Amino acid sequence: MLAGCLAVGAEARAEPQGTVGLTIGAAGRGLDRKIWDQTAFHLGLRGDVLFGRSKVTDFGVGPYAEVMTHAFDEVQFGAGVSTLFPVLQALPLVASVGGYGRYAPMQGLEPGVAGALFWGSRSYNFHASYVMAFGLLVQFRYGLGPSRETSIVIGAQLDLVALSLPFQLLFNAVRGGSRDTRPVR
């Protein structure tokens, strides 16, 4: 009974943890349910927010959204749900399922379903709601429109904030730094 009272009195500190990344790699795509008819360059943006985590070893679940292109001749946009599995503290596995829309000039707008696995560095940030993430991304996309498009994406997800750090440094250097870095007179 004492243990139950102590457990009720503990404060839960689960905070949402979000990330935004650039996805870059290769996409094997095909029409009429061909799995890998041609290889195309893949580029996209993917972001998610995971809820329910208060430490590195916690599971998390939340929404994701993405926009991408294969070979710059189509655009895809999608959303769904992601679940983080803390298989290793430093390298969790994030599984996602959702829907997407694909627009290609020859086929028009078509719906589809997608599944993805991310494996890489994604810790828990105890001081802010943004967490940096770097890792490998594999997706399978199954089109439900008349083109019967399928694609397999194999690539890397690179954190957008980390990629912006050199530009932030250059901007602040050109600007002359901040008041905190100026010499005291």
Side-chain angles (χ1 to χ4, degrees):
M1 181 155 161
L2 179 61
C5 291
L6 292 175
V8 170
E11 182 179 341
R13 302 200 128 211
E15 300 284 335
Q17 296 277 294
T19 189
V20 178
L22 177 74
T23 61
I24 187 167
R29 64 183 179 176
L31 300 176
D32 294 322
R33 298 290 175 247
K34 293 179 184 167
I35 296 295
W36 198 299
D37 203 24
Q38 72 175 151
T39 302
F41 175 73
H42 163 84
L43 184 67
L45 285 175
R46 182 179 176 87
D48 66 27
V49 177
L50 297 179
F51 298 91
R53 299 184 76 209
S54 60
K55 58 185 181 288
V56 178
T57 57
D58 286 345
F59 285 79
V61 65
Y64 80 87
E66 63 187 353
V67 62
M68 67 182 66
T69 184
H70 296 159
F72 300 105
D73 61 0
E74 65 179 37
V75 65
Q76 297 186 20
F77 48 90
V81 65
S82 292
T83 303
L84 182 139
F85 300 92
V87 291
L88 297 172
Q89 266 190 0
L91 302 168
L93 184 68
V94 180
S96 305
V97 293
Y100 73 94
R102 173 181 173 267
Y103 176 77
M106 298 297 281
Q107 288 90 22
L109 183 62
E110 299 179 327
V113 293
L117 286 175
F118 167 85
W119 185 62
S121 174
R122 183 182 177 133
S123 63
Y124 180 83
N125 189 339
F126 289 94
H127 305 290
S129 60
Y130 188 84
V131 60
M132 290 191 188
F134 298 91
L136 302 174
L137 180 69
V138 176
Q139 292 184 335
F140 180 72
R141 306 176 80 73
Y142 188 84
L144 301 174
S147 72
R148 300 170 35 144
E149 174 260 346
T150 60
S151 62
I152 298 171
V153 176
I154 301 169
Q157 182 172 323
L158 310 171
D159 190 81
L160 208 55
V161 171
L163 291 174
S164 74
L165 290 177
F167 300 104
Q168 292 179 40
L169 180 65
L170 181 62
F171 175 77
N172 285 321
V174 168
R175 196 179 73 167
S178 70
R179 207 170 15 146
D180 299 332
T181 61
R182 294 194 182 115
V184 178
R185 296 181 185 183

